[in-house]
Amino acid sequence: LQRYGIPHQVTGGDALNELEELRLFHACLRAVVHPDDPLALVAALRSELFGLSDGALYAYRKAGGSFSFNQPLPEGMPAAYVEGFEDAFRRLKDYSLWISRLPCASACEKIASDLGLPALAAARPGGDMRAGSLGKALELLRGIPAKVNLIPFNEWPGAPYKRSSGNRIHAFADIIYNAGYASPIRTPRGEDIM
């Protein structure tokens, strides 16, 4: 139908499971949410999203680099590879920040856009359907219900942290609620024994 320009809509099927752009997106998200997993990071860096070659990865490791985007680049890094690693690590840090501060669907949409996944999908054969499937996958995230249970910190003698004030806890709960998520404040247990 697409080849003949006939308007249509696909429902059902397993097209999402076969979408290469979702595999790339998954590789990137896995590296972001598992920052201490060097295999996840290498998989993302080697993908077409970041395009770092095996030679670049080898040079990075040989120079003493640690496969964590939260670590600084090693001093002895060949200059030809520095820009690629700086760009990839900066973006992965941004994505980690977006995931921690935005609702899931919003963060995923922003990351997919920054990676250029919608344009990549549209540029490939069957682009209309690929880009539409990617958009549908991101839209499905909006329907996932979630809530955030807030549990005030239980202080103990010598604890390195202090409990936030009630006003501050309620203000934070309001921020989460205004982002579209239920955020009940739970009563901490164990206060009676302190």
Side-chain angles (χ1 to χ4, degrees), residues 148 150 170-184:
V148 178
L150 298 176
H170 284 283
F172 185 64
D174 289 342
I175 291 170
I176 295 170
Y177 180 79
N178 290 332
Y181 298 96
S183 54

Side-chain angles (χ1 to χ4, degrees), residues 13-101:
D14 61 355
L16 286 180
N17 295 332
E18 299 171 9
L19 197 60
E20 177 61 22
E21 293 79 15
L22 281 181
R23 284 192 203 108
L24 291 169
F25 190 51
H26 178 260
C28 179
L29 289 179
R30 187 165 171 244
V32 171
V33 299
H34 299 288
D36 297 322
D37 181 350
L39 293 177
L41 178 60
V42 168
L45 295 175
R46 290 184 78 231
S47 75
E48 64 185 287
L49 296 175
F50 298 103
L52 294 174
S53 69
D54 289 341
L57 295 168
Y58 176 74
Y60 174 80
R61 184 67 185 117
K62 188 175 177 186
S66 171
F67 284 108
S68 170
F69 62 84
N70 290 314
Q71 297 297 318
L73 295 181
E75 293 292 325
M77 183 81 176
Y81 301 126
V82 169
E83 186 178 340
F85 277 94
E86 285 178 341
D87 177 63
F89 285 6
R90 177 193 51 77
R91 290 170 66 193
L92 291 167
K93 287 176 190 173
D94 286 347
Y95 301 162
S96 179
L97 184 67
W98 297 346
I99 286 173
S100 70
R101 294 190 177 171

Side-chain angles (χ1 to χ4, degrees), residues 150-179:
L150 298 176
I151 305 171
F153 179 70
N154 260 344
E155 292 182 53
W156 67 88
Y161 306 104
K162 299 266 185 220
R163 176 183 291 182
S164 297
S165 70
N167 288 340
R168 192 160 187 183
I169 293 169
H170 284 283
F172 185 64
D174 289 342
I175 291 170
I176 295 170
Y177 180 79
N178 290 332

